[in-house]
Amino acid sequence: MRLGESKVPQVGRPIYVERLISAPMDALWNATQSPEDHERWDLRFTEISYIPRATDTEPQRFLYATRIGFGVRIAGEGESVGTAERNGDRTSALRFWSDDRKSLIQKGSGYWRYAPSAAGIRFITQYDYETRFGIAGRALDLGFRPLLGWATAWSFDRLRLWLERGAEPAEMLERSIVHWIARGALAFIWLYHGIVPKLLAQAGEIDLSERAGVPASLAATFVIGAAVLEIALGLGLIAARDPRPLLALSSALAIGLALVTSARIPELVGAPFQPITLGVAMVGLAAVAFRSYYQLPGARNCLRKAPAK
């Protein structure tokens, strides 16, 4: 078997991730080969430690663990199969396994490749694994494998931001959590208001539209159009690669709707959950999501398929 080839029978497509990183080779190598640095940027692991070797010729074994919440810890082991270097191109191969019955992954293998180029270093990984639990495990892997690939890609981009811009990995994770809580909450508000009151319970929205000045003959059509706009905005906030234009549009609409509704229907200003407080809350969520987007890692920034040879 050549260095880096998988010894595991393929069940799903092997996970491939590549990210161009503009950093010195030694800095990238140390950040990925040192357990203390590795666990700082890799979302897949919370603990990585080397097992002392009796001699330098023995394979380097290591222990890893992941905490998935609620006090659950999944542990495993691995070892470096070997390294190779040719014309500055480095490859590090490894295999890993877990005897922890909570682990879906039973065993696997893969490699890391550090390929210099004119623009930087192409940092590449490809790995594959076998699952336990038989047919049930293979069914669970249909959802787990894409999630693991996403976590690998997100981590590679976090590593890039750390090495290129000096952004602290822990701060990037915290900022990502804050960003998606704010962005997700804002998207939920638009989706809820577009679906529930405007499509599932239209009578109240049609009445509000008429009271706001929309002609009665056009009120139903206006409500449906508003529903389409709000649903599209909610979905866009979730899916957009760069959400900042949509966050700005969301704030403008929230302010505009609050002002127009309050002016046309003054009695709503004194009602519970009235349009002014809702608009202010939506603008606040958009501001938090906008500000926290700075230097945010993204799995989409990585290649997920090997380039054609």
Side-chain angles (χ1 to χ4, degrees):
M1 186 192 76
R2 293 183 300 170
L3 181 65
E5 285 186 333
S6 174
K7 297 186 291 185
V8 181
Q10 291 191 14
V11 176
R13 189 175 69 182
I15 293 173
Y16 178 94
V17 176
E18 176 180 336
R19 187 66 175 104
L20 184 68
I21 299 178
S22 299
M25 174 67 81
D26 288 342
L28 178 56
W29 181 266
N30 293 334
T32 55
Q33 297 293 326
S34 165
E36 294 81 7
D37 288 338
H38 186 180
E39 66 185 27
R40 291 181 64 188
W41 60 265
D42 201 329
L43 192 63
R44 298 168 296 174
F45 308 106
T46 51
E47 303 170 29
I48 305 174
S49 60
Y50 279 166
I51 299 174
R53 295 183 292 180
T55 66
D56 291 340
T57 58
E58 291 183 356
Q60 178 63 67
R61 295 184 63 189
F62 57 90
L63 303 174
Y64 66 85
T66 302
R67 298 184 184 277
I68 60 176
F70 307 102
V72 179
R73 179 178 181 272
I74 298 175
E77 299 180 48
E79 69 176 14
S80 298
V81 177
T83 59
E85 183 170 357
R86 183 179 180 183
N87 298 327
D89 192 316
R90 299 183 189 179
T91 303
S92 174
L94 58 96
R95 65 186 188 94
F96 50 91
W97 62 91
S98 177
D99 295 326
D100 191 332
R101 295 298 300 175
K102 299 187 297 296
S103 175
L104 178 62
I105 296 176
Q106 188 170 34
K107 61 180 179 180
S109 65
Y111 67 87
W112 281 354
R113 182 183 170 198
Y114 310 73
S117 69
I121 300 172
R122 296 171 57 216
F123 183 44
I124 303 166
T125 189
Q126 181 167 298
Y127 60 96
D128 202 2
Y129 56 85
E130 288 182 353
T131 59
R132 50 169 46 95
F133 311 130
I135 295 175
R138 290 193 289 274
L140 287 172
D141 193 45
L142 294 175
F144 179 74
R145 186 173 291 257
L147 180 62
L148 188 59
W150 173 88
T152 305
W154 188 91
S155 299
F156 272 37
D157 202 41
R158 176 159 69 155
L159 172 63
R160 176 190 66 85
L161 290 169
W162 180 30
L163 296 180
E164 290 184 359
R165 304 183 185 179
E168 282 295 319
E171 292 178 4
M172 284 186 276
L173 177 59
E174 292 176 0
R175 194 163 59 250
S176 294
I177 293 172
V178 169
H179 174 83
W180 279 104
I181 288 175
R183 186 171 163 181
L186 188 60
F188 173 79
I189 291 173
W190 285 115
L191 288 170
Y192 182 89
H193 281 271
I195 295 172
V196 178
K198 290 181 175 63
L199 295 183
L200 301 182
Q202 289 185 339
E205 285 289 324
I206 291 174
D207 178 63
L208 283 175
S209 298
E210 292 177 356
R211 292 166 64 190
V214 177
S217 59
L218 299 176
T221 302
F222 176 82
V223 168
I224 293 175
V228 172
L229 175 63
E230 291 180 359
I231 293 171
L233 182 54
L235 294 176
L237 284 168
I238 295 172
R241 189 181 187 92
D242 183 351
R244 288 174 293 184
L246 292 180
L247 291 170
L249 174 61
S250 172
S251 297
L253 289 174
I255 293 172
L257 288 171
L259 293 176
V260 170
T261 305
S262 299
R264 290 283 188 170
I265 315 175
E267 58 268 29
L268 289 180
V269 175
F273 304 106
Q274 40 89 2
I276 293 178
T277 55
L278 177 61
V280 169
M282 293 175 72
V283 171
L285 288 172
V288 171
F290 195 103
R291 182 64 182 87
S292 59
Y293 184 76
Y294 177 69
Q295 289 191 353
L296 204 65
R300 290 179 177 179
N301 297 327
C302 298
L303 291 177
R304 302 295 299 276
K305 293 182 180 179
K309 296 182 178 180

